[in-house]
């Protein structure tokens, strides 16, 4: 079956702009997590959605937001972009049964560069 | 807060040798740990999961151990090959998500 699809793969924005990233999880997976990856900080958790509800949120400012649709597809938005937002944004899906976190299936990521 | 820590320095080994990577956890007792492989510019790929009551788990040339006394997991690749060169990430469960270590880069030279 198809894997996790993230779009766009690469994008360049300027400071102050906003960006929306999209993630289509594996069919049947109801949990979608978003991570930011930078060389210095590694994988930092942004938020996790399950059945259209945000279950958990990482320590990021309110400029970072997300949502999940009824078909489990998810989007994340970053407003008022800063240079430090340049990173690889990774989406991961899982079956997400209750509190148990199984294996995460990652997409290839969206590489955001802020100039 | 719970932490997953991995050696940030790259590990360089020769082809054919066994690579051993370390993952330490602090401030909590994870029910399991997971290991992922990540190639440059790609998303991480799941390799193995080991539960706290499992001392050791194997998959082909991979072996993972879980020592709750030392609060540590070791990840071994036997008979390493240049194709094993990648960054390896350790992850433990948080609330509805996984907490990842920063990863250790493994470089296997021919």
């Amino acid at each position: 079956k198809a894997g996790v699809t993230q779009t766009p793969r690469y994008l360049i924005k300027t400071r102050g702009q906003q960006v929306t990233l999209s993630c289509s999880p594996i069919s049947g997976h109801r949990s979608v997590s978003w991570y930011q990856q930078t060389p210095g900080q590694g994988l930092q958790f942004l938020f996790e959605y399950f059945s259209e509800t945000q279950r958990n949120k990482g320590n990021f400012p309110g400029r970072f937001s997300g949502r999940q649709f009824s078909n489990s597809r998810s989007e994340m938005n970053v407003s008022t972009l800063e240079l430090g937002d340049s990173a690889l944004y990774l989406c991961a899906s899982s079956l997400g049964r209750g509190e148990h976190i199984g294996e995460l299936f990652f997409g290839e990521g969206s590489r955001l560069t802020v100039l | 807060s719970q932490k997953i820590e991995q050696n940030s320095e790259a590990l360089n080994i020769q082809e054919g040798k066994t690579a051993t990577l370390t993952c330490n956890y602090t401030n909590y007792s994870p029910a399991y740990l997971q290991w992922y492989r990540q190639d440059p510019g790609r998303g991480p790929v799941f390799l193995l999961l080991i539960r706290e009551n499992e001392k050791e788990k194997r998959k082909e040339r991979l072996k993972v151990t879980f020592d709750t006394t030392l609060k540590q997991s070791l990840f071994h690749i036997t008979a390493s090959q240049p194709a094993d060169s990648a960054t390896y990430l350790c992850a433990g469960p948080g609330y509805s998500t996984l907490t990842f270590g920063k990863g250790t880069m493994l470089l296997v030279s021919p």
Side-chain angles (χ1 to χ4, degrees), chain B residues 1 10 22 30 70 76 78-79 90 106:
Chain B
S1 61
T22 304
L70 294 178
H76 307 271
T78 58
C90 175
L106 172 66

Side-chain angles (χ1 to χ4, degrees), chain A residues 32-86:
Chain A
V32 173
S33 297
W34 288 90
Y35 291 84
Q36 180 196 66
Q37 187 174 37
T38 57
Q41 296 300 317
L43 274 163
Q44 300 286 303
F45 171 71
L46 282 158
F47 24 67
E48 188 255 352
Y49 288 88
F50 181 83
S51 294
E52 301 180 67
T53 300
Q54 186 182 87
R55 288 200 298 190
N56 197 4
K57 189 177 190 303
N59 190 26
F60 278 81
R63 299 185 297 107
F64 293 80
S65 62
R67 59 178 174 169
Q68 186 180 35
F69 303 96
S70 58
N71 61 357
S72 292
R73 190 177 70 86
S74 178
E75 289 181 347
M76 67 162 283
N77 184 275
V78 188
S79 63
T80 319
L81 284 166
E82 301 177 358
L83 295 179
D85 297 333
S86 295

